[in-house]
Amino acid sequence: QVQLVESGGGLVQAGGSLRLSCTDSGRTFSSNVMGWFRQAPGKEREFVAAIGWIAETTSYADSVKGRFTISRDNAKNTLYLQMNSLKPEDTAVYYCAAGPRSFTTNVKRYNYWGQGTQVTVSS
């Protein structure tokens, strides 16, 4: 069973930076696509970024391109999301997720989820 745990969230002023981490106790980072999703109050969970662990393919939502960077450290079974130039609209609970072997940004294709970490950006 895959177990994902996020950390690194917090409160930051607009224009600031945070780095989120996700550890995988199930050791599946080398065989599954991994992604970051976020959910704000009253909204659906939305795609943020994804990385293919074998093909090194990455993808980003238009709203975060140029500001966020997804990366991994396979030796540590850890996924990262570096978030720069944060905006108030980035405020949400951020979730780490594991999907299939084939690359996808579709939230419905991801079947393992962490508990989430809160990111709040003040204006």
Side-chain angles (χ1 to χ4, degrees):
Q1 192 74 241
V2 176
Q3 295 181 342
L4 304 174
V5 180
E6 305 95 335
S7 63
L11 175 64
V12 65
Q13 291 185 321
S17 299
L18 286 173
R19 188 170 78 156
L20 306 183
S21 299
C22 172
T23 58
D24 174 20
S25 63
R27 302 179 184 180
T28 60
F29 281 6
S30 294
S31 59
N32 295 81
V33 61
M34 301 296 296
W36 288 98
F37 298 80
R38 66 188 183 186
Q39 188 166 21
K43 296 184 178 181
E44 296 293 322
R45 190 167 299 183
E46 66 176 2
F47 168 76
V48 175
I51 183 168
W53 293 95
I54 298 176
E56 292 283 353
T57 301
T58 60
S59 183
Y60 298 90
D62 289 341
S63 60
V64 306
K65 286 181 179 178
R67 300 189 297 120
F68 291 11
T69 302
I70 188 170
S71 62
R72 73 183 190 276
D73 185 336
N74 288 340
K76 297 181 180 294
N77 293 126
T78 302
L79 180 74
Y80 301 98
L81 184 67
Q82 178 66 46
M83 305 185 294
N84 298 326
S85 301
L86 283 162
K87 305 174 181 179
E89 49 263 46
D90 294 318
T91 295
V93 176
Y94 283 70
Y95 297 90
C96 172
R101 292 182 61 86
S102 58
F103 191 88
T104 180
T105 62
N106 186 350
V107 64
K108 297 181 180 180
R109 293 283 291 162
Y110 288 75
N111 48 14
Y112 295 98
W113 296 86
Q115 295 296 310
T117 184
Q118 177 71 47
V119 172
T120 302
V121 184
S122 62
S123 59

